[in-house]
Amino acid sequence: MTLAMGVPPREPVRAWGKVPEELSARVPAEQRGPGLGRDAVRLLVSRGTAVSHHAFRELPRLLRAGDLLVVNTSETLAAAVDGRLGHTRVVVHFSTRGDDGRWAVELRDPDERGTTRARIWNSARSARRKGGGGRRAGGPAGCEVRLPGGLRLVLEEPLSTGSERLWWARVAGPLDVEGAGEDLTAAPGTGILGLMREHGRPIRYSYTERDQPLSVYQTVFALPSTDGAGSAEMPSAARPFTAGLVTELVSRGVQIAPISLHTGVASAEAHEPPYPERFAVPETSARLINAVKAGDGRVVAVGTTAVRAVESAVDADGVVRAREGWTDLVVTPERGVRVVDGLLTGLHEPEASHLLMLEAVAGRDAISRSYEEALRGLYLWHEFGDVHLILPAENPHTVHCSSNCW
């Protein structure tokens, strides 16, 4: 696995400025009042620089028969597990399992609210040696984290040069050699999946109000993976979908193509570009995407993870082919998109690298305009918040005979 390339080391902060803390969604929509469902969120719609405001339940009539939604079926894992580093309590965020059985992990400090904060060097000497205080750290190499069940994590090396947030960790202990439970053929590191099921909880950050059960972090599209793999953090753009809404979409002629991309741990404080993630675009979905591109429909990715997967499966001739493995693709305005016409996504912080992808789809002016409207309209940010549908600019002379507006 390699460090993602092609991203400027530091993007300028967007003109629309910082998001006020009160615009963080602290609980899921269905917990904000009686009778509310997941789909009780707002939907900001951009068509070029034109912006309109909707309820998410209006999505079926905002799409057309023949459009295609590409959805991520990755399940969310209970990827946060308590551990001890020496005498210090830490929370391990399990991000990604490598092909060699090691895990990419982030060590975080528990706070007093049941969430975590980024670790910093707790030794002034170490801080000076590493170039100053306040650096986030999981190392140094050789550190050992004790986990429930007798498991241990030995930190071996940073995941990428220049960042010590994520470390490759070798798993040691009773479930390492034997694998998961009695399965002697299981690969090293698979015991962590059992550890998550027994002792883990969903990753959450300080803007949320309280712990939630894992079911809250699963989308309606989530499917179990045969190897137990999943996402460290929820592919949250699909969270507002309900079974009823999906049925209505399909009944109106909107098609759905599944892909999978197992998300890693986000850089909640550092806003680093995404690193390599495991993905799969199946043959049936590749064919469906190509058929829609050949017709009049639009390919709308549900989430930035779907964009990354699909754009990783398109060849230079513009044809999407079945593909699976690791992707280190970072979609930027310079790289552009080859397949995706639209995107349904959450709202992102001004420093977030995800915004480069949004600007690749719609252009920087369009994204700036829509975010100014989102701030003005008091939309809610983060995984339990409102969502943003980015569509191509409408041609006023186009008559959509197959429009869903009936």
Side-chain angles (χ1 to χ4, degrees):
M1 296 185 357
T2 58
L3 177 67
M5 303 296 289
V7 174
R10 187 176 181 84
E11 277 290 304
V13 174
R14 270 68 180 179
W16 41 271
K18 192 166 181 61
V19 180
E21 190 174 342
E22 59 268 25
L23 294 187
S24 293
R26 302 193 182 285
V27 295
E30 62 272 24
Q31 297 178 16
R32 294 178 198 148
L36 297 179
R38 286 181 169 222
D39 54 0
V41 297
R42 300 169 70 192
L43 177 65
L44 185 75
V45 179
S46 301
R47 294 182 176 88
T49 56
V51 180
S52 56
H53 303 269
H54 302 267
F56 183 74
R57 289 170 181 151
E58 297 176 62
L59 179 66
R61 68 178 182 83
L62 295 168
L63 299 175
R64 306 173 195 152
D67 283 347
L68 176 69
L69 293 177
V70 181
V71 302
N72 187 359
T73 61
S74 179
E75 273 195 325
T76 307
L77 301 174
V81 179
D82 293 323
R84 284 196 172 272
L85 181 62
H87 296 293
T88 304
R89 290 174 56 220
V90 295
V91 179
V92 181
H93 285 183
F94 287 92
S95 179
T96 307
R97 189 175 70 189
D99 292 334
D100 59 1
R102 296 189 300 173
W103 279 83
V105 299
E106 180 183 17
L107 302 189
R108 296 178 67 88
D109 288 328
D111 61 19
E112 301 304 320
R113 296 172 293 180
T115 57
T116 62
R117 56 180 180 269
R119 299 202 78 225
I120 59 173
W121 293 100
N122 54 12
S123 161
R125 182 178 177 183
S126 296
R128 286 195 299 273
R129 187 169 64 244
K130 292 293 181 180
R135 290 192 59 177
R136 309 171 68 225
C143 279
E144 188 172 288
V145 179
R146 301 194 308 279
L147 298 169
L151 277 175
R152 291 175 288 122
L153 282 177
V154 181
L155 305 188
E156 294 193 331
E157 58 182 330
L159 178 68
S160 57
T161 304
S163 172
E164 294 177 335
R165 181 174 69 90
L166 288 154
W167 281 69
W168 282 118
R170 178 169 50 84
V171 183
L175 294 183
D176 176 42
V177 177
E178 292 84 358
E182 300 300 319
D183 183 1
L184 302 182
T185 65
T190 53
I192 294 297
L193 296 171
L195 178 79
M196 290 182 194
R197 286 191 291 271
E198 189 168 352
H199 298 284
R201 59 186 180 277
I203 289 174
R204 77 176 181 98
Y205 296 107
S206 59
Y207 51 78
T208 55
E209 185 175 294
R210 55 182 177 270
D211 281 346
Q212 302 284 350
L214 185 59
S215 59
V216 166
Y217 288 86
Q218 304 296 5
T219 75
V220 72
F221 302 111
L223 293 172
S225 173
T226 54
D227 62 358
S231 289
E233 297 185 3
M234 174 175 58
S236 56
R239 192 185 185 282
F241 285 85
T242 63
L245 191 89
V246 172
T247 301
E248 184 178 354
L249 284 164
V250 172
S251 70
R252 287 174 175 263
V254 176
Q255 305 174 88
I256 294 176
I259 57 88
S260 68
L261 184 141
H262 302 312
T263 70
V265 172
S267 51
E269 293 86 6
H271 298 296
E272 298 164 356
Y275 50 89
E277 295 169 314
R278 192 187 297 274
F279 80 105
V281 175
E283 177 70 32
T284 51
S285 292
R287 290 184 181 184
L288 194 51
I289 293 168
N290 292 329
V292 168
K293 293 297 291 184
D296 295 329
R298 299 170 295 186
V299 175
V300 179
V302 178
T304 55
T305 58
V307 176
R308 196 181 201 198
V310 170
E311 294 292 328
S312 298
V314 60
D315 287 330
D317 58 3
V319 176
V320 176
R321 292 183 168 83
R323 193 158 292 161
E324 63 180 4
W326 295 92
T327 176
D328 61 0
L329 175 67
V330 178
V331 177
T332 65
E334 291 73 26
R335 189 268 187 190
V337 289
R338 296 171 182 166
V339 176
V340 170
D341 300 302
L343 170 62
L344 181 72
T345 181
L347 295 162
H348 305 280
E349 298 281 354
E351 304 90 352
S353 60
H354 288 76
L355 286 169
L356 293 173
M357 179 184 289
L358 273 59
E359 291 168 359
V361 175
R364 189 158 196 164
D365 289 345
I367 297 303
S368 295
R369 172 82 177 93
S370 58
Y371 271 71
E372 289 167 359
E373 275 294 306
L375 285 169
R376 189 176 298 115
L378 303 180
Y379 278 69
L380 296 180
W381 258 247
H382 302 305
E383 66 266 35
F384 297 142
D386 299 313
V387 284
H388 181 198
L389 176 63
I390 300 169
L391 293 173
E394 290 287 343
N395 181 345
H397 302 294
T398 300
V399 177
H400 301 304
C401 296
S402 59
S403 171
N404 260 328
C405 301
W406 38 271

